[in-house]
Amino acid sequence: MEEQKKKKIWSIVKEISLYATIIVTGVFLIPNYVIAKNVVNGESMENTLYNEEQILTEMVSYRFGKPKRFDIIVFYRFFDEKNTNKSDKNAYEFYVKRIIGLPGERVRIEGDIIYINGKPLEEHYGKDPICDSGRAEEEITLGKDEYFVLGDNRGVSIDSRSSSVGNVKKDWILGKACARIYPFDKIGSIK
């Protein structure tokens, strides 16, 4: 009889441990290290993403590989580059943009043409032609861990053309936008 009590207690302890592991994984590990929900703020990614749409950001692949040209990323933009503490929610804001320039490349915008290493970039993501080259009017050489990003709505986007955003360091990238989860009639992967 005492052996049965021990087995029952051990069974309860194992079950509680399993539920605790599931809860810790679901509440802490997944949103902090695997996938996060973000909200698009503004019109800068139209016609791909719209204001207040909710997206899932996958945070694993860039730990094992590098971001690719045309990936849509979510990244931190720190208000003060001396304070890059991601746990300080007042130190940054999130941006959602498309990668155009990769580490080590030279980026320049002339008129509405984007040049990468002196060659025109063929892309079709821009909603409207580029009217303002910003700081990319002069050629920008990206560092070994820097990316040049643009919003798809080039007329209103504050992106790497602006000194307030500038080149995006790899450490600032939260992850790749992979799916839209709201509004419900647009649920699906992001192209």
Side-chain angles (χ1 to χ4, degrees):
M1 189 133 187
E2 194 167 310
E3 187 66 33
Q4 286 180 334
K5 282 185 180 180
K6 285 182 181 180
K7 284 183 179 180
K8 187 170 186 167
I9 290 172
W10 182 243
S11 174
I12 291 170
V13 168
K14 287 192 316 190
E15 190 171 338
I16 289 172
S17 297
L18 175 65
Y19 288 132
T21 301
I22 290 170
I23 289 169
V24 166
T25 301
V27 173
F28 298 108
L29 296 179
I30 291 175
N32 288 316
Y33 299 103
V34 179
I35 200 155
K37 179 183 77 100
N38 296 99
V39 178
V40 176
N41 184 12
E43 304 168 340
S44 72
M45 284 302 292
E46 290 180 1
N47 288 339
T48 306
L49 297 169
Y50 290 84
N51 188 39
E52 297 187 4
E53 287 187 338
Q54 295 179 19
I55 60 175
L56 292 179
T57 304
E58 168 285 294
M59 300 182 289
V60 176
S61 62
Y62 293 161
R63 289 193 180 119
F64 302 105
K66 297 178 181 179
K68 297 178 180 68
R69 190 178 329 275
F70 305 130
D71 283 356
I72 297 174
I73 61 168
V74 176
F75 64 95
Y76 305 91
R77 180 62 186 121
F78 294 94
F79 300 121
D80 178 2
E81 289 192 34
K82 294 175 185 160
N83 179 14
T84 57
N85 180 1
K86 294 176 186 172
S87 62
D88 179 358
K89 301 286 186 199
N90 297 315
Y92 61 84
E93 60 186 329
F94 284 108
Y95 281 77
V96 179
K97 304 292 179 199
R98 188 178 301 277
I99 292 177
I100 299 297
L102 301 172
E105 291 183 332
R106 298 181 328 276
V107 180
R108 183 174 58 85
I109 300 173
E110 185 179 310
D112 64 349
I113 300 173
I114 303 166
Y115 291 89
I116 303 292
N117 297 330
K119 297 179 183 173
L121 176 67
E122 290 191 37
E123 58 96 33
H124 58 280
Y125 297 105
K127 177 180 176 183
D128 295 313
I130 297 172
C131 296
D132 181 14
S133 302
R135 63 188 205 80
E137 184 174 4
E138 300 292 324
E139 189 171 77
I140 296 168
T141 301
L142 299 169
K144 65 177 182 168
D145 71 335
E146 293 180 334
Y147 296 83
F148 188 91
V149 298
L150 291 175
D152 288 355
N153 190 354
R154 311 270 163 83
V156 301
S157 180
I158 298 172
D159 46 40
S160 288
R161 295 173 292 167
S162 166
S163 59
S164 67
V165 174
N167 302 341
V168 175
K169 296 182 186 307
K170 186 169 190 299
D171 289 348
W172 297 354
I173 299 174
L174 176 67
K176 180 179 179 179
C178 61
R180 181 179 303 127
I181 57 172
Y182 183 83
F184 298 124
D185 63 333
K186 291 184 171 182
I187 288 177
S189 63
I190 298 173
K191 303 287 182 202

